[in-house]
Amino acid sequence: MLGVVPASLFFVFLSKIPVVGRGDAFKEVYPWLSELGIGLSFNLDGLSLFFALLVTGVGALIMIYAGYYMRSYQKTNRFFGYLVFFMAGMLGLVTASDWITLFMFWEFTSISSFMLIGFKHEKTAAREAALQALLITGVGGLALLAGLIMMSLPYHSFSFEAVISDPQPFLQSSLFVPATILIMIGAFTKSAIFPFHFWLPGAMQAPSPVSAFLHSATMVKAGIYLLARLHPVMESQELWIYTLSVFGVVTMFVGAWFALAQQDLKKILAYTTVSALGTMVLLIGTSTAYSVTAALVFLLVHAFYKATLFMMAGNIEKITGTRDMNQLGQLNRYMPVATVISLLALLSMSGIPPMIGFIGKELMYEAKLNAPAAGNFILLTGFLANAFTVFVSLRFAYGVFWGEKQGFKKQPHEPDVSLLAGPAVLVFISLLLGIFPNQIAGLLGPAFQSILPGETLIKLKLWHGFNEILLLSFLTVLLGVVMFFCRKAIIRIVSYLNGNYFNLKLSQRFFAGIDVFLNLTKRKTAVVQHGYHRFYLMTIFIAAALLLILTMPAIDFQFDFDLKFNGLAFFAMLAAIMIIAGSIAVVVAQSRLVALIATGFVGIGITIVFVLYSGVDLAITMVMVETLTVVLGAMVVYHLPKYLNYSGVGSRIRDGFVAVFFGFVMGFLALQTSKPTTITKISDYFVENSYTKAFGENIVNVILVDFRALDTLGEIVVLALAAIGIVSLLKLNAQKKSSR
Amino acid sequence: MKTEILKIAAAHLKPFLLILSLVVLYRGHNEPGGGFIAGLLAGMAYVIYAGAFGVGKAKQLRLVKPMFFMGLGIGIALFSGMIGLMNGADSIFTGIWTTLTLGGFSLKLGTPLLFDLGVYLTVAGMLVKVIFTVMEEDV
C-alpha cells in the first residue's frame, strides 16, 4: 500500500519531463539562515529529475516487493518508517539546490542506511556492518561539509547557482585543492569507491529490499550525483579529472576482481556494484560527450538490472533458505518465471543485446576509445572488468538455475506474484529501452545538459554497425565464456591469490583502528572521569573561580563595601545568622543526617533572603528544591555506612581552602553586581516588554516561557534525559545486585 | 514510617496539591508561580503519597505514568512553539493569545501558557520517575 506514495510522485515527476526539457525549471525556495547565505531551496533541473524518477520509480516497486517480503519479520512498521524516511532524504538530496540543504539530506540517507543495515540488530554481524557503514559515510559526510563550506566561502552564498554559474572565484581561491579533495572524499565514501568500498559488501546484512534499493539503485549513487553536479565547475581541472579517473579505474577493476570468486549471491552483486560505481566515476572524470552519455545510460541500466537481481537474490534466499551458490542449483525446474526474469537481468548486466545493458556497454567502450588520457590502459582495464562481469553473470545463472541438483530442505516453488512484479517491470523496461533506446533521450538530454553544458547527448541506438566497438563487445563475451569453462581453475586461483596476497582486510583493519581509538579514549576517560565525586566538585569550584578571576579585569570595579541594611535589617540579619550557623554545623557535624539537615537549614536561610528581597518565585522554587534535596539525601544516607571521619587533617585544610576561596570569589562578584553600571542590560528590555508584548506581569515567567522559550525547551529536554539516565543507572545497579 | 496519620494526610493532600499546582501553573504568568514550581508541587503530591503508602501502591495510581508525561510535556512545549509559525509568525515560539469566555468567566489563554503546561508535565514526570526509582532501591 505504501507503494502508492512513491508511485504517484513518480508520475508527478514524469509529467515534468517536457517542462524540464524546455528549460524552465521548477523552483522552491524557503528562506532559512539567510544571514549565512543558507537557504532551504530546491530546484528541479534535468539531473535532479533523472535521479528523482529513479528514486521514486524504483522506490514504488521496492515498496510493493518489501510489503510481501517483510511479512516474516518483526517490527515491519519500523522498517517501512526507515524506508520512507530514506526515500524522502534521497529525494531531498537530488532536488536540493543549496549545498547545506544537500548536505542535510545527505546525512538523512546515511542515518537511514544505518538503521536499515542494522535492522536485524540481534545479529552482531548486522550491527557491526551498520556501524561500519555509518562511520565511513559519516566521516565522508563531515569531509563533504567542510569541502562545501570551503567552496562556498568566496560567494557568501551556498546556492548551487553561485558556484556553477561563475566558478572562477572558487577555482582561483587558495582553498581550491583542499576543498576539492574533501568533496571527493565525501562522494567516494558514499559511493563505495576504493579504498572506502568495503562497507558496501558488509551492508549486505540488510534485508534484500534494502540492498536492492539503497545499496544498488539509489543511495550509493548519491556520490555519483554529487560528482555529476559539480562537474561543470571542475571539468577543466586536472586534479579533478585525474583523481576521478584513477580511483574510478581502480575501483572498477578491484570490484570486478573480488566478485569473481564469491559464493554468496548478494556479495557477488555487491562487488559488481562496487565495480559499476567505479565505472561511473571514471566516465564522469573522462568528461567527453560520449563518456557522460555513457555514465547516464549506465547509471540507469545498472539501477534496473541490479535492483532486479537483488530482489531475485532475496526471493531465492526466502524460498530455499540460502544464498550460497554451492548449495543452490536446478532452480529453473521449480521457478521458471523467476528464472526468465533473472536471466534477462543477467543479460543486461553482461551487456548482451537486445537489453539496454548492451547499449550501456557499447557507449562505455566508445567513451574509453575516445578517452583523452591513458586511453589504452583504461580500455584494457575496462575490457577485463567487463569480461569478469560476464563471467560472474554466467556463474550466477548456471550455479543457481542449472548446475548440480541440491537437496533442498523445503521444496522450492515459484515466488509470490508481488515478489516478482517489481523485478518483472524493471526487466521489461530494460528490454523495451534496449529496443527503442531513444525513448529516454527526452529524459537524459536535460540531465546531460546539467553535467556538460554546451555539448549534446549522443544519440542512442542498439545497432552501431560492424566496427571495433562491436568487436570489443564480442571479445568481452568470448573471454567471459572462456573463463566460465575453466571456472574451477579460475576460482581456485583467485581464491588463492585473494587469500594470500590481495587480502587487504580493510574491514578488519577498520575495526582494529576503532578498537585502538576506543582504548585511547578509555584511558583518557579513566583519568578525567575518576569517579570521586568530591574531586569533581573541587574541579568545578576551582575552575569556576579561576575563570571568574580571569574575566574580572574586564569589569570596572569599585571597591567600596558600603552595605546598607535598610528596614529589613533585622530579618536579614536573622537569615544571615541562620545561614552561617547552618554552614558551621555542616562542617562540624559528626553524623551524615545532621549534616544533611544543616544543609537544609542553610537553604531555608537563603530562601528567607529571597523572600525579603522580593524574589518570591525563586523562594518557592528554593523551598521545594531544598526539601527534595533533604528527602532524597535522607534516603541515600540511610544506606551509607555510619559517619566516620575519614578525611585527615591535610585534606580537610585543602577542602577548606578551596571552599573559602570559591566563597570569596562568588561573594565578591555578588557585591559587584549590585553596583550601578553603564552597560545596558538585557533585563531592561524584558522589563519594558514583558507586559506590552508578552502580556505577562511575572517577568521571570515571561522570560522562561516566551522570550527564552527555546532555552527552556532545551532545559526540560535535559531534565527528561537526566531522569532517564538516573533511572537506567539505578536499574542497572539493581540488576547487578540481583545477578550476584 | 507508614503511620496512619501520614496516610490520611497524604491521601487528602494529593488532590489538594494537584489542584493547587494547576492554580500555580495558571497564575504564573502574572504572579509568582509557573510551570516549574507547579510541576514540583504536583510531583511532590505523589512523592508524599509514595512515602506514606509505599512506592508499589503509588505506582498503581491512575496518573502515575511519568515517562508518558515527560514525553507529552516536551511534545506540548514543542507544539506550542509551532502554533506561532503556523499563524504566520517569523520565528518559532512567537506567542499567540486569545481570550476564552465561558459563562461569566473569561480565561486568557495563549501559547506561552501551553508551553508552561509542557514544562509542568515534564518536571512533574521527572520528579516522580526519579524519586520513585530511588525509593524502590530502598525497599
Side-chain angles (χ1 to χ4, degrees):
Chain A
M1 270 321 280
L2 264 173
V4 174
V5 181
S8 41
L9 276 172
F10 176 74
F11 288 112
V12 170
F13 283 120
L14 211 55
S15 69
K16 299 278 184 199
I17 291 182
V19 189
V20 167
R22 276 207 313 274
D24 51 348
F26 168 84
K27 258 186 177 162
E28 283 288 335
V29 177
Y30 302 94
W32 185 17
L33 301 168
S34 36
E35 296 88 349
L36 297 174
I38 300 172
L40 192 65
S41 52
F42 301 94
N43 182 15
L44 196 70
D45 69 347
L47 190 61
S48 299
L49 185 65
F50 177 70
F51 274 90
L53 280 171
L54 199 63
V55 171
T56 50
V58 177
L61 297 175
I62 295 283
M63 283 290 188
I64 296 168
Y65 175 76
Y68 196 89
Y69 186 89
M70 298 303 291
R71 272 188 200 173
S72 54
Y73 285 78
Q74 303 273 311
K75 295 175 183 158
T76 46
N77 42 3
R78 196 179 290 183
F79 176 83
F80 285 105
Y82 297 148
L83 208 58
V84 171
F85 176 61
F86 165 76
M87 211 182 290
M90 195 65 205
L91 265 185
L93 198 165
V94 298
T95 51
S97 68
D98 178 282
W99 297 118
I100 300 296
T101 312
L102 176 133
F103 169 76
M104 191 175 76
F105 286 114
W106 181 281
E107 296 290 273
F108 277 13
T109 60
S110 291
I111 294 165
S112 48
S113 161
F114 168 72
M115 300 289 200
L116 286 166
I117 298 172
F119 185 69
K120 295 181 230 168
H121 55 78
E122 316 82 32
K123 284 168 66 185
T124 322
R127 287 200 305 272
E128 282 183 353
L131 189 65
Q132 181 173 296
L134 180 74
L135 287 174
I136 291 174
T137 50
V139 166
L142 288 178
L144 175 71
L145 179 65
L148 292 176
I149 290 173
M150 285 181 189
M151 183 177 73
S152 304
L153 273 180
Y155 300 96
H156 308 290
S157 160
F158 282 96
S159 76
F160 284 10
E161 226 181 339
V163 65
I164 289 174
S165 62
D166 177 24
Q168 281 313 315
F170 165 55
L171 298 182
Q172 256 127 50
S173 83
S174 56
L175 290 173
F176 168 72
V177 175
T180 310
I181 291 173
L182 286 171
I183 290 173
M184 283 195 287
I185 290 177
F188 286 0
T189 50
K190 194 78 161 182
S191 287
I193 298 298
F194 182 86
F196 305 112
H197 66 280
F198 56 92
W199 71 263
L200 189 58
M204 294 302 123
Q205 292 290 340
S208 283
V210 176
S211 307
F213 192 32
L214 273 74
H215 303 122
S216 77
T218 53
M219 191 189 90
V220 288
K221 306 268 166 69
I224 309 291
Y225 169 79
L226 181 74
L227 296 177
R229 177 58 77 197
L230 274 169
H231 192 67
V233 178
M234 310 278 205
E235 58 181 334
S236 56
Q237 299 302 312
E238 288 188 347
L239 172 69
W240 178 259
I241 289 175
Y242 286 120
T243 317
L244 292 194
S245 302
V246 168
F247 280 90
V249 167
V250 171
T251 310
M252 174 173 76
F253 187 78
V254 166
W257 174 267
F258 281 107
L260 285 177
Q262 292 294 332
Q263 295 298 336
D264 180 338
L265 293 183
K266 281 177 80 178
K267 284 265 166 71
I268 293 178
L269 296 174
Y271 276 110
T272 52
T273 306
V274 170
S275 172
L277 290 166
T279 311
M280 288 172 215
V281 169
L282 166 69
L283 288 172
I284 289 175
T286 311
S287 184
T288 58
Y290 272 113
S291 73
V292 173
T293 310
L296 283 174
V297 172
F298 185 54
L299 203 154
L300 196 67
V301 169
H302 176 259
F304 282 0
Y305 73 67
K306 204 46 82 54
T308 306
L309 287 174
F310 267 120
M311 286 194 261
M312 294 315 291
N315 286 346
I316 291 165
E317 187 187 6
K318 196 160 205 70
I319 285 165
T320 63
T322 178
R323 41 175 219 248
D324 185 343
M325 207 135 60
N326 287 336
Q327 296 175 26
L328 291 164
Q330 290 295 341
L331 282 179
N332 73 324
R333 293 189 194 175
Y334 305 105
M335 37 174 94
V337 182
T339 309
V340 171
I341 292 173
S342 309
L343 283 187
L344 285 173
L346 287 168
L347 277 183
S348 197
M349 175 153 121
S350 330
I352 291 169
M355 305 304 291
I356 193 177
F358 175 66
I359 299 173
K361 200 173 61 174
E362 294 276 285
L363 278 167
M364 256 151 64
Y365 276 139
E366 201 144 3
K368 285 167 189 166
L369 271 177
N370 296 322
N376 288 331
F377 175 70
I378 292 177
L379 189 67
L380 180 69
T381 331
F383 173 72
L384 283 178
N386 282 338
F388 290 177
T389 314
V390 173
F391 169 75
V392 166
S393 309
L394 276 171
R395 250 192 94 206
F396 191 115
Y398 182 79
V400 174
F401 298 108
W402 283 275
E404 285 162 41
K405 190 173 165 36
Q406 304 287 340
F408 294 109
K409 281 174 212 148
K410 298 180 282 183
Q411 177 77 6
H413 55 86
E414 194 76 71
D416 189 83
V417 180
S418 46
L419 289 177
L420 287 176
V425 170
L426 288 176
V427 160
F428 182 65
I429 298 173
S430 300
L431 183 64
L432 213 61
L433 289 180
I435 301 169
F436 308 106
N438 270 313
Q439 296 303 313
I440 43 168
L443 169 64
L444 293 183
F448 181 88
Q449 291 295 331
S450 311
I451 305 176
L452 262 191
E455 306 222 23
T456 44
L457 185 77
I458 302 299
K459 207 160 163 27
L460 309 174
K461 33 187 190 201
L462 188 63
W463 181 247
H464 285 258
F466 292 101
N467 52 17
E468 48 195 339
I469 294 163
L470 192 69
L471 182 69
L472 269 173
S473 286
F474 178 72
L475 286 177
T476 311
V477 177
L478 192 67
L479 180 61
V481 173
V482 170
M483 282 172 73
F484 178 69
F485 280 112
C486 15
R487 59 185 177 281
K488 289 219 168 106
I490 284 183
I491 290 172
R492 205 176 306 135
I493 293 168
V494 170
S495 310
Y496 175 77
L497 287 177
N498 283 354
N500 292 297
Y501 298 106
F502 300 145
N503 195 347
L504 297 173
K505 288 187 181 156
L506 284 174
S507 186
Q508 287 97 313
R509 282 191 193 163
F510 174 80
F511 279 114
I514 297 281
D515 280 345
V516 170
F517 176 72
L518 283 181
N519 274 330
L520 270 178
T521 51
K522 252 181 217 157
R523 253 184 255 161
K524 191 224 85 187
T525 311
V527 173
V528 182
Q529 305 287 340
H530 38 64
Y532 291 101
H533 189 245
R534 52 184 177 279
F535 291 127
Y536 288 143
L537 283 180
M538 207 182 281
T539 315
I540 292 170
F541 286 152
I542 293 175
L546 287 180
L547 285 173
L548 283 172
I549 290 174
L550 272 180
T551 56
M552 276 182 186
I555 309 166
D556 179 26
F557 282 117
Q558 296 147 336
F559 289 91
D560 56 337
F561 293 95
D562 178 21
L563 297 178
K564 296 188 187 70
F565 297 99
N566 43 6
L568 297 160
F570 176 66
F571 290 106
M573 287 306 280
L574 211 62
I577 290 168
M578 214 172 138
I579 294 169
I580 293 166
S583 307
I584 293 169
V586 173
V587 177
V588 298
Q590 286 299 311
S591 102
R592 283 202 169 91
L593 206 58
V594 173
L596 191 71
I597 292 167
T599 334
F601 206 65
V602 175
I604 301 297
I606 295 171
T607 310
I608 294 175
V609 174
F610 282 144
V611 173
L612 290 178
Y613 293 98
S614 66
V616 187
D617 270 304
L618 284 175
I620 302 176
T621 317
M622 190 82 187
V623 170
M624 303 266 190
V625 172
E626 285 300 330
T627 317
L628 273 174
T629 314
V630 173
V631 170
L632 272 177
M635 276 187 253
V636 174
V637 164
Y638 181 74
H639 286 274
L640 290 175
K642 271 208 157 181
Y643 202 66
L644 293 168
N645 208 349
Y646 286 121
S647 37
V649 183
S651 55
R652 285 207 140 210
I653 290 173
R654 179 197 60 202
D655 294 352
F657 182 74
V658 171
V660 170
F661 175 57
F662 187 64
F664 262 114
V665 173
M666 287 311 287
F668 183 70
L669 219 68
L671 286 173
Q672 289 303 318
T673 49
S674 61
K675 296 278 181 296
T677 57
T678 48
I679 308 162
T680 32
K681 283 182 282 184
I682 182 110
S683 53
D684 292 340
Y685 170 81
F686 293 140
V687 173
E688 276 167 32
N689 293 309
S690 179
Y691 194 71
T692 48
K693 285 196 180 152
F695 313 108
E697 282 164 12
N698 180 352
I699 297 170
V700 176
N701 189 263
V702 168
I703 292 174
L704 280 177
V705 300
D706 203 334
F707 292 132
R708 289 286 156 84
L710 204 56
D711 294 4
T712 313
L713 181 71
E715 278 157 24
I716 59 173
V717 171
V718 169
L719 271 185
L721 283 179
I724 293 169
I726 292 168
V727 169
S728 44
L729 275 177
L730 285 174
K731 294 259 154 145
L732 196 72
N733 207 15
Q735 264 174 14
K736 267 188 197 156
K737 258 186 219 160
S738 63
S739 70
R740 238 184 262 147
Chain B
M1 206 155 98
K2 292 184 180 72
T3 66
E4 283 306 314
I5 301 173
L6 192 59
K7 275 187 186 177
I8 292 167
H12 285 86
L13 265 175
K14 189 168 69 77
F16 172 73
L17 278 174
L18 284 181
I19 292 168
L20 182 70
S21 74
L22 286 176
V23 172
V24 170
L25 170 71
Y26 178 72
R27 77 197 280 265
H29 211 60
N30 292 318
E31 287 152 282
F36 194 81
I37 300 172
L40 286 180
L41 265 174
M44 285 295 259
Y46 286 98
V47 171
I48 293 171
Y49 190 90
F53 291 89
V55 185
K57 268 241 169 97
K59 267 187 151 177
Q60 287 162 11
L61 291 173
R62 206 155 14 106
L63 285 173
V64 178
K65 290 174 192 133
M67 291 307 254
F68 168 73
F69 280 117
M70 273 196 280
L72 185 71
I74 291 173
I76 287 178
L78 201 61
F79 174 70
S80 78
M82 303 296 166
I83 294 177
L85 274 189
M86 284 184 248
N87 282 284
D90 306 335
S91 59
I92 196 168
F93 291 116
T94 304
I96 302 281
W97 289 94
T98 52
T99 308
L100 185 77
T101 316
L102 256 180
F105 298 98
S106 72
L107 215 56
K108 223 169 70 173
L109 293 174
T111 53
L113 187 64
L114 196 62
F115 181 85
D116 227 8
L117 180 68
V119 175
Y120 168 79
L121 290 176
T122 313
V123 170
M126 183 227 41
L127 191 68
V128 169
K129 185 78 201 173
V130 170
I131 295 204
F132 276 25
T133 315
V134 174
M135 285 169 110
E136 261 182 339
E137 271 288 277
D138 279 11
V139 181

